[in-house]
Amino acid sequence: MKEILTAPFLAEMTHTASNMYRLGWDERNGGNISLLLEERDVSPYLELSRVLRKIPLGFQAASLAGRLFLVTGTGKYFKNVARDPEENLGLFRISQDGACAELLWGYRGGGQFTSELPAHLMSHMARLSVDPANRVVMHSHPTHTLAMNYVHELDERKITHTLWEMCTECIVVFPDGVGVLPWMLCGTNAIGEATAEKMREFRLVIWAMHGIYAAGRTLDETFGLIETVEKAAQIYMLTAHLPRRNTIQDAQLRQLAEAFGVAYRKDFLKL
């Protein structure tokens, strides 16, 4: 059996968490990541029949029964993930009845998964129904995206359009736009269900006055979605109080999307 600390998926997870902390997206214990893994990726590193303990999920995830996830822990700081992965991360399997996480590795010292696990697993279920290759759900508090919540209408069409206007790459990177939820109590099944419903339509969902959720096929792709939104939000916050003399026109946004062959939200443009 190989040493799990040498596993590529663990190295990528710790690198991603470190970058998110470095960029100021995940202060203190803010933010969480979940990565769906295949048995063939994990079996060289762990004995999959050896369950350390069972942790109740608090909701039903039967459609994910038997699936393996690497997930950040509750109350854990992203800055510490690289230093001590076993304490700050956990690798578990969803039980056959969909009611428990069967811990296979991590959460040393009695820890458990992030309090936002309902939103993560429900989002995984929603995204897998749209894209079977979806593997990642990522939540963070990027500074300029959050600041934009306070000064811009929290309307999906309007906020997507504004972000698209800020940087030429935006409509190419997230042509499906950005979903928006009103402020809701975090860590609940209710916000998980609402996020999952949005995830059927969007890969990016803003939690008003809280942060953003993103989903993708890889950690890099999902990180890049948030990174691009945050750059656009930063440009907006740097310019919103100034007279705008130039902008990317809707016809140009359409030209971009069609040139790159992406399926964009035509209803979000004024054409």
Side-chain angles (χ1 to χ4, degrees), residues 6 69 73 77 91 100 133 136 146 148-149 153 161 186 220 253 265:
T6 66
F69 291 90
Y77 293 24
L91 199 160
C100 292
V136 179
L146 186 54
M148 191 176 176
N149 287 195
E153 289 180 78
H161 191 274
C186 55
D220 264 357
L253 290 170
R265 290 292 300 259

Side-chain angles (χ1 to χ4, degrees), residues 121-134:
L121 293 188
M122 291 176 192
S123 292
H124 276 286
M125 288 187 271
R127 289 306 307 169
L128 286 168
S129 71
V130 176
D131 178 5
N134 193 99

Side-chain angles (χ1 to χ4, degrees), residues 163-236:
L163 291 167
W164 281 351
E165 287 181 310
M166 293 299 106
C167 188
T168 295
E169 69 176 345
C170 286
I171 196 171
V172 178
V173 174
F174 52 97
D176 42 344
V178 178
V180 178
L181 287 178
W183 187 92
M184 297 178 70
L185 182 64
C186 55
T188 64
N189 288 357
I191 198 169
E193 291 163 0
T195 305
E197 188 59 34
K198 290 291 183 184
M199 282 283 182
R200 297 184 189 278
E201 185 177 357
F202 304 99
R203 290 173 299 156
L204 289 153
V205 179
I206 286 174
W207 281 10
M209 281 71 75
H210 183 145
I212 194 166
Y213 258 72
R217 297 182 173 195
T218 66
L219 285 163
D220 264 357
E221 178 192 35
T222 314
F223 180 94
L225 286 171
I226 298 175
E227 188 176 34
T228 307
V229 168
E230 173 64 358
K231 169 60 76 66
Q234 182 178 14
I235 295 168
Y236 174 79

Side-chain angles (χ1 to χ4, degrees), residues 24-45:
W25 298 356
D26 297 275
E27 71 292 336
R28 199 172 183 269
N29 63 321
N32 20 81
I33 310 171
S34 59
L35 172 62
L36 174 59
L37 296 167
E38 298 293 340
E39 282 194 12
R40 64 176 178 270
D41 299 322
V42 179
S43 57
Y45 302 94

